[in-house]
Structure formats: C-alpha cells, structure tokens
Amino acid sequence: ASSHRQMEEVPLLMGSNCRAKGAAPGFKVAILGAAGGIGQPLALLMKMNPLVSVLHLYDVVNTPGVTADISHMNTGAVVRGFLGQPQLENALTGMDLVIIPAGVPRKPGMTRDDLFNINAGIVRTLCEGIAKCCPKAIVNVISNPVNSTVPIAAEVFKKAGTYDPKRLLGVTTLDVVRANTFVGEVLGLDPREVNVPVIGGHAGVTILPLLSQVNPACSFTSEEVNHLTSRIQNGGTEVVEAKAGAGSATLSMAYAAAKFADACLRGLRGDAGIVECSYVASQVTELPFFASKVRLGRSGVEEILPLGLLNEFERAGLENAKKELAQSIQKGVSFINK
Ligand code: NAI
C-alpha cells in the first residue's frame, strides 16, 4: 500500500491511490457538497458510472470519511477527497463535469427561496473556483433555489469572462422523475416507460408538467390533471414534511442527479439523441432562463427543443410560472451585480 501511495501526484485525503496513473479512459467528475444528504448517495452512484474515470469529492466537512468509504467500491473510477476552501482548486482542476449539491436544504414551512441568502453565496464561491480552474467543464446546479442559483452562476462566469450558456445546466430532473412516477401510478404503467416533459423552473408553480404531451400518449380527466399537477409541483414539500425537519429529498434527488449527469456524459461522449429537461439560458420564452427539453452533445446544450402545443390549462400555468420565474432570475442577477 505504501508504494501505491507514493505514486500519487495530488495530495489526497484518501482514495484508491494505486489507480491514479493508470485511470481508465473516461470523464473526470467533481461533486461539490459531496458529504451532504444528496452528495453522498450521488457520489455512490457516480462511482458506479462506467463513464467516470476520476471522481473528486469536495465539501467543507466530512469528505475524508465519505471518500474512504466510496473508494472501496470495486468500480473503475479513481476517488479523491478534498476538504475545505483551500482544497477547492485542486478539486476542480481538470474536471469535465462539476455537479453542485452544496448548500442548505429546506425545513418544513420553508420555500426554496428562503434558502437564497445562504446558498447564493455558496454557489458564487464555487462558481468562481470553476471559472478559474475548469472553465470548460459542464456545470450541473442542484443547489436551491435553482431558479436563482443558475442565473447567479451565469453572472459569475460572465464576470470571469468564461460564460458559455451551453455548459451551465440547472438540474430539474427530479421533477421529471416524480412526474413519471406519479403519472405511472395513475395510468397503471411502469414508470420507466412514462415520459412527462416538465418545463418552467424548479419551485412551486414554476414547475409545469405538460400532461398533454405525456409519452405514451394518454388522456386524463380534469381531476387527474389537477391532482397530478399539484402533486408534481409539491413533491419536494411532500418529502420535506415527511422528513419533519431532517431535510429535503436526498435519495430520489441523488438518483435524478446521477441520471442527468449520465445524460451529460453520454452527450459529451458524442452519443446521439440525448434529450433531457433542464433549466438553461433559453430563448424559448421571453425569459433569459427556462426549463424545457434540451438536446445534449459534445458542447453541452446543443439544441433547445420547442415547447410543443400547450393546452389552455398549461398556457395559463405558463403565464403564472413566468411571473415568478422573472423575479427569481432578477434576484439572482442582482445578487452578483449589486
Ligand atoms: P445537506 O445539508 O445534507 O448537504 C449539503 C452539503 O453542502 C453539506 O455536506 C455541507 O457541508 C455542504 N456545503 C455547505 N457549504 C458548502 C461550501 N461552501 N462548499 C462546499 N460544500 C458546502 O443538503 P442536501 O439535502 O444535500 O441538499 C443540498 C442542496 O440541494 C440544497 O440547496 C437543496 O435545497 C437542494 N436540492 C435541490 C433539488 C433539485 O431538484 N434541484 C432537490 C433537493 C434538494
């Protein structure tokens, strides 16, 4: 083991050191906030992803333990841990994909916007590091309020002169995962076979499932539409209340984030036809950011797909969503430019 350790170039807290020089071809992925409720299971899932050759786990607490633990999994990725701000730059250097679940989660009675004051500053600091150390990386933002943290990241990158809107993606996959599950329940279908586009943003009424566009094609009664729309929009709150103060969705979120990261990596590899919903810089509406179906490729977001036909209920929902989204975007932009 000691000779293995001597092979390391990067100072490590812990890791599967003997593989560092002979890492399999694949992508380098960093998780920022890796010791958290989302970060830990997400680290586990990314360690299982065969497209990942190097996995960097960064947090301000507890990364040595999480890294030691994850590094014992006999999968290909080399795992390295980084603890605290002085190690942020090493954590980020050379990364192809950076996933950000750092920040505080909701407690019962809180909206995602209530997290703004703490998480905005965390996302700013982490994005300053990305601009400096891996400006070409694809960035997946999970930290809430996503409707504001993505605009914050964009402003940080603009200031640094590194902004590429194709490479900055807000993770709304959990809304799609929930929609597929809940619609599958109502229709009696395997949720893996259901695909519900969810557009808008990632908070309350900005989460807009397009039930008229569900694949496979199906129809719902108006009661079903009301029930499903409300359950999808409040899925996060359902978990926050069930956890009763112990946090928000972490396991389903890690699953969703791993699914989305895998789609980004397959896009980077050059696979064709990778389409996911994501909150990105967009011209699909008059707002500067909007979640909708995007096609992922070697440069990140290669195409933003049109919204398609919306029914009257969805058009009304869209108008509602846009009002709140506009404010959340402005709040994020002003945080950096104040
Ligand atoms: P958590 O509190 O369990 O974990 C957050 C982690 O971030 C902690 O380990 C903490 O030490 C770390 N952290 C704090 N400041 C940091 C910094 N400056 N640099 C690096 N790491 C830092 O929270 P949880 O449950 O993992 O949630 C994380 C975030 O994800 C929250 O903002 C939550 O609202 C959001 N979230 C987003 C969802 C989405 O669909 N996009 C769904 C669920 C949660």
Side-chain angles (χ1 to χ4, degrees), residues 32-40 58-62 85 88 100-106 112 115 118-119 121-123 125-126 141-146 170-175 178 202 236 243 246-250 253 256:
L32 313 183
I38 296 167
Q40 291 198 36
Y58 172 82
D59 203 302
V60 291
V61 292
N62 296 341
Q85 181 87 24
L88 177 62
I100 312 184
V104 290
R106 284 192 289 160
R112 292 178 180 84
L115 306 173
I118 300 173
N119 291 354
I122 293 175
V123 169
T125 307
L126 297 175
V141 180
I142 296 170
S143 314
N144 271 316
V146 167
V171 181
T172 59
T173 320
L174 182 54
D175 302 316
R178 285 178 176 141
H202 175 69
K243 290 196 175 179
S248 62
T250 54
M253 181 60 234

Side-chain angles (χ1 to χ4, degrees), residues 162-169 280-282 289 299 301:
T162 65
Y163 183 45
D164 177 356
K166 290 175 163 181
R167 294 178 187 271
L168 174 60
L169 301 97
V280 296
S282 172
F289 294 91
S299 54
V301 178

Side-chain angles (χ1 to χ4, degrees), residues 67-220:
T67 306
D69 194 350
I70 296 277
S71 74
H72 290 182
M73 294 168 65
N74 66 328
T75 61
V78 174
V79 186
R80 298 183 183 126
F82 301 85
L83 180 65
Q85 181 87 24
Q87 297 190 358
L88 177 62
E89 294 193 2
N90 278 343
L92 289 171
T93 301
M95 294 298 109
D96 300 303
L97 171 68
V98 180
I99 312 174
I100 312 184
V104 290
R106 284 192 289 160
K107 294 211 157 87
M110 288 171 89
T111 67
R112 292 178 180 84
D113 192 53
D114 293 331
L115 306 173
F116 185 95
N117 290 339
I118 300 173
N119 291 354
I122 293 175
V123 169
R124 174 176 55 196
T125 307
L126 297 175
C127 288
E128 285 166 355
I130 292 168
K132 187 168 172 201
C133 301
C134 54
K136 299 269 182 222
I138 304 282
V139 179
N140 290 179
V141 180
I142 296 170
S143 314
N144 271 316
V146 167
N147 293 353
S148 303
T149 51
V150 170
I152 287 173
E155 291 305 310
V156 170
F157 296 149
K158 278 183 205 166
K159 282 207 160 169
T162 65
Y163 183 45
D164 177 356
K166 290 175 163 181
R167 294 178 187 271
L168 174 60
L169 301 97
V171 181
T172 59
T173 320
L174 182 54
D175 302 316
V176 176
V177 161
R178 285 178 176 141
N180 294 349
T181 303
F182 302 158
V183 166
E185 275 171 25
V186 165
L187 296 178
L189 291 174
D190 181 335
R192 290 168 295 186
E193 282 158 22
V194 179
N195 195 352
V196 186
V198 183
I199 66 166
H202 175 69
V205 299
T206 71
I207 300 170
L208 199 66
L210 299 182
L211 296 171
S212 68
Q213 294 183 20
V214 171
N215 193 354
C218 58
S219 62
F220 299 98

